[in-house]
Amino acid sequence: MEKYIYLFREVDQAEKAAGSWDGVRGLLGGKGANLADMTRLGVPVPPGFTATTEACNAYLAAGGEFPEGFWDQALAAIEDLEKATDKKFGDAKNPLLVSCRSGAKFSMPGMMDTVLNIGLSDEITEGIAKTSGDPRFAYDLYRRLLHMFGSVVMDVDDEHFEHVLHQQREKAGVKLDADLGADDWKAVVKAYKGVFKQYTGEDFPQDAREQLKRATEAVFRSWNGRRAIDYRNAAKIAHDLGTAVNVQTMAFGNIGPRSATGVCMSRNAATGEPTLEGDYLENAQGEDVVAGTRATDPIQVLGDRMPDVYGELQDIAKKLESHYRNMQDMEFTVERGKLWLLQTRDGKRTAEAEVRIAVDQVEEGLITKEIAVKRVSPAQVDIFLHPKLDPEAVEGSEALATGLAVSPGAAVGQVTFHADDAQQAAKEGRAVVLVRPDTKPDDVHGMLAAQGILTSRGGRTSHAALVARQFGKPAVVGVAEMEIDLASRQFKVGETVIKEGDWISLDGTTGIVYEGEIPTVMADLDNPYLSKLLSWADEFRKLGVRANADYPRDAERAREYGAEGIGLCRTEHMFFEAERLPVVQRMIMARDPEDRDAALAALLPLQRGDFDGLFRAMDGLPVIIRLIDPPLHEFLPGHDELIKDLADLKLQLQHFRTLSEIDAALEEVRTKQRYLEQVEALSEENPMLGTRGVRLGMVIPGVVRMQVRAIFEAACACARGGVDVHPEVMIPLVMHVAELREMRAQLEEEARAVMAEQGIEVPYKFGTMIEIPRAAVTAGELATEAEFFSFGTNDLTQTTFGISRDDAEQGFLVEYLERGILPKNPFETIDPDGVGQLMKWAVEQGRATRSDLEVGICGEHGGDPESIALCHTLGLGYVSCSPFRVPIARLAAAHAALNDR
Ligand code: ADP
Ligand code: MG
Ligand code: MG
C-alpha cells in the first residue's frame, strides 16, 4: 500500500522514496520537508507528521475522497504522537493538541491557512482550565480553535468572529485582546459557538479526530481555492503539485510569562547584515505576530528578557544556515522557557540583501563563488538600477509618517486605495501608490500595477511586505499613525489629510513617507558587494560584454560598469545636435557637389571630436562605429510642419511694411519651399525598407567617406598621444556581398589615405551588421569582405517576421501575446526558432570562411538575460547593450556559462 503519512522522524525513508531532496520537498512540501530535516539535525521541533502531496492529489482527483488506507495511517501516526508526548488526543485529563498546517513545495504566503489547537472540546477546555490552574489560557486556546476552524474549515466570514471580539473588548473596557481575562474568553467562546451554529447550521464538532479530518480536507481543498490559483499563476508555480498537510503537537507561547512566539531571519532581510532580525510577542500564539494586531518587540529584546533562549536561537540559526547554506526565515515558540522551532525556510530578501549575503557567505566559507553567482538573478541586479529618492530633495522635506522599511527603492505616485483603481491607473500610464490598511492576495494585481505599497498595519512578515519584496516593489508597512478611511477615500496623519489623487513619495529603504512628489535619482552601482559579485561572475563567463554608447560620457560610465569595449556607436545621434543639424541639412539640400563638400568639411571636425573622446574612454578596447543608418529625410523638418510654416509665412507677408522685411520673408519662403521639395523627393512609401544603411553610402558616398576620415583622423591623433586605439568600422543593413565589396574598397582607401597623411598606422577592422535575412543566409560570402559581424537583432527580427516593431507593439502584438500565438515579445527576447536559427547559420557560415571572424550582437536584446543565454549557446564572442544593463549582462553571461557545465 502507498505510504501517505510520514512522521517527522521518518525523513530518511521519505528521501529514499522520493529519490532526492528536491523530491522530498515535492512529496512533503517545503514546510514538512524542513520540519523533518530539522528533527534529523537535532533542532527542537514539536513532534508531528506530514500527509503527502500525493495524498492531496489523490483526494482531489477522487472528487474529495481520501485514498484507501490514508486515514488509518493518519490515526496510527496520531498514536505515535501520543506516545512521544505522553498525552492523549481527545482526552480531558491530559489532552494532546495539534495544529493542522498546509505546506506546498514552494512557499505561498497567506494562501492556505493553518488551524491551531485542534483536539479541544467543551469538556477538554474545562479540563485544561482545571489542571493548568489557568482558565484564561484554556479559553484563549478554545476561542482560537473555534475562530480558525469556523473561518478556515467552514468558510464562516471572519467578520462575525471579529465583531464578537470587538464587543467583548468594549464591554471589558480594554484595547487589546491580550488584556482580556478568563471570564471574557469564556463569554467569547460561548458567543463563538453561537456564531458557528448560526452560519454552519451545526454545532462545533466535539470529537478531536473529526476536527482533524475536516481540517485536513480543508487544507487539501484550499489547493484549488481561487486565491491559491491566482498566486500560482502570478508566481508561475505549477498547478499539479498539490499541498501537503502537517499535523504537529502544539507548543504554547501563550501560557503565561517566559512564553512567547516570534519570527526571525538569520540575517537582516533588508540590508543583508549578519545579525538576527525579527519580531516577537510574549504570551501569544503564532498568528498574533503576523496578524500585526499587537505591537511586536524586535528580536533583540528577547536577548534581554530571556538571554538563554536568545542564545539558543542564535546557535540554531547558525546551524540551519550552515546546513542549508542560505539565510533562514524561522518561526519559533517559547513554552515556559523551552524553545521550539516551528518552521524554517530560505528567507525572502531584498536584492541588496541577496547580494551582500551571497558575498558574505562566500567569505565565511559557507558557499562557493559559483553558488553565490548563481543565487543572484539578473532581475535582482536590475533592482539596483531602480531610482531612489533624491537625497538633496529629501533633505529639505519633512517626513509625513514613518513605518517599517520592508522593500527598498523609491515610489512616487498619486494615492489610490483600491487594487482595481491602481490597475486602471497603470493602464492609463499614471503613477500611483497603493495605500491600504493591509493587503490580501486579492490585491496582488493592484500591488504589481502600483509604484509602491503603503499600509498602516502589519510587520516585516505581513502579506504586503512579502509580496513587495518578491516582486521588487518599494513598500512601507505598519505606519500606525496613519488613519485610513476607505469610505471617504482619504487618510490622516495627525492633522494632515491626504486625499485620493494627492501625490506622496515613499522610501522603502528608510520607511519614511513624504507628502508631495519628490524627484528620484538612479541608485548607485558602486555597491562594493555588487562589484565583488560581478567580478566573480566575470571569472565564469565566456561571452564578452560591450556597451552601446554614442557619447564619451556614456562610454566612460559603461567602462566603470565593466564594459569591455563599445559594440555600437550610432553616429547619427550626433547629427541631431542643435548646432550640427543645420549643417547636416545643408549637406542634404546641397545643389551641387561643392556645396555638399563644404557642408561635409564643416561636419568633419565635429565628428572627429566625438570619436576622439570615445577612443580615449575606451583606451585599449575595441570601439565599433556604425556609419550613418537612417533615411535622410529624418534629418529634415516634417512635411506637414513645412506646409503649415509656409502658409503662416504667406499670411504674414501682407503685414510687412519695409522692403527688407518683405525680402527676408520671401527668402524664408523660398528656403522652406526648397525644403518641401526635397522632403517630397526623399519621401518613400516604406522608409524602413528604403534608402538607408549601406544604400546611403552607395548613393552619396561623401557622407560615409567623411565619417571614416573623422574616425581615422581621431584614431591617429589618439594613437600619437599614446592611446591604444582599436577602431572597427561597421557598415549597416548590408544585403549583398557586392555592396560590402564596393563600400569597403572606397572606405578602406580613405582610411589608408588618412594613416599615410598622419604617418601612423593603427589596427582596424571593417565589418558588417547582420540584420537582413539575406545577409544571414549569405554570411559565408559576406565574411570574405567582413572581418566582423554584429547582429542587429531589432531589424533582423522585423525583417524576419515581416513586421514593423512600432506597428506591432502598438497594434496586434499584445493580442498575439495574450492569445499565446507568440510565446514572447520577439523584440524583447530573441525568437530562438526563427531569428536564432538565422544567427546560428550566419555564425557557422561566417566562421567557415574566416576562422577568426569576430561575432557579436548589438541592440536591446544584448541586455536581455534569455537572449544572452542564446548568444552564449550560439558561440558569439560578445554581447553589447546599454551601459546601465552591462552589470546585468555580465551576470547573465556567467549564468549561461555555469548552466552549460
Ligand atoms: P503560515 O504558512 O501562514 O505561516 P503556519 O502553518 O506556519 O502558517 O502557522 C501559522 C502560525 O502558527 C505560525 O506562526 C506558526 O509558527 C504557528 N504554529 C503552527 N503550528 C504550531 C504548533 N504546533 N505550535 C505552535 N505554533 C504553531
Ligand atoms: Mg497563515
Ligand atoms: Mg509559517
Side-chain angles (χ1 to χ4, degrees), residues 399-427:
L400 175 67
T402 305
L404 295 173
V406 290
S407 187
V412 180
Q414 291 172 284
V415 169
T416 181
F417 292 101
H418 294 282
D420 291 341
D421 296 343
Q423 195 178 35
Q424 182 57 32
K427 277 201 186 126

Side-chain angles (χ1 to χ4, degrees), residues 31 46-47 97-102 108-116 246-253 261-263 285-290 331-333 342-343 345:
K31 195 183 283 174
L97 301 190
V98 298
S99 61
C100 179
R101 321 170 63 188
S102 60
M108 297 166 52
M111 291 297 123
M112 289 174 284
D113 291 314
T114 293
V115 181
L116 302 178
N246 301 290
V247 177
Q248 187 171 25
T249 309
M250 286 304 303
F252 300 114
T261 182
V263 291
Q285 234 184 1
E287 297 285 9
D288 298 351
V289 178
V290 267
E331 290 173 3
F332 66 89
T333 287
L342 273 316
Q343 188 172 338
R345 58 185 158 184

Side-chain angles (χ1 to χ4, degrees), residues 223 440 469 477 480 600 648 707 710 741 752 774 800:
W223 177 256
K440 300 204 170 57
R469 262 184 221 169
V477 304
L600 286 172
D648 287 350
Q707 290 193 302
R741 196 176 295 131
R752 301 226 59 88
R774 193 182 188 285
T800 300

Side-chain angles (χ1 to χ4, degrees), residues 89 94 99 108 142 253 500 606 640 774 789:
F89 198 44
N94 185 22
S99 61
M108 297 166 52
Y142 199 23
E500 184 175 63
L606 301 172
D640 294 352
R774 193 182 188 285
F789 285 173

Side-chain angles (χ1 to χ4, degrees), residues 771-786:
E771 50 188 337
I772 290 179
R774 193 182 188 285
V777 171
T778 61
E781 285 174 37
L782 295 188
T784 58
E785 293 293 332

Side-chain angles (χ1 to χ4, degrees), residues 580-658:
R580 301 188 190 183
L581 194 56
V583 191
V584 174
Q585 290 177 343
R586 212 173 81 210
M587 185 268 293
I588 297 171
M589 308 286 297
R591 263 177 287 204
D592 48 52
E594 288 77 50
D595 215 14
R596 173 158 286 155
D597 287 348
L600 286 172
L603 281 173
L604 176 67
L606 301 172
Q607 278 262 266
R608 198 167 56 214
D610 300 329
F611 300 144
D612 185 88
L614 282 183
F615 290 136
R616 285 177 200 282
M618 286 287 153
D619 188 359
L621 298 172
V623 175
I624 294 187
I625 295 164
R626 181 179 71 183
L627 302 179
I628 187 168
D629 185 49
L632 289 183
H633 73 83
E634 284 195 10
F635 299 102
L636 298 180
H639 186 263
D640 294 352
E641 186 189 328
L642 282 168
I643 299 267
K644 188 177 166 297
D645 285 357
L646 273 168
D648 287 350
L649 273 171
K650 285 176 187 164
L651 275 179
Q652 280 167 16
L653 270 176
Q654 52 194 325
H655 303 298
F656 293 132
R657 294 276 147 81
T658 68

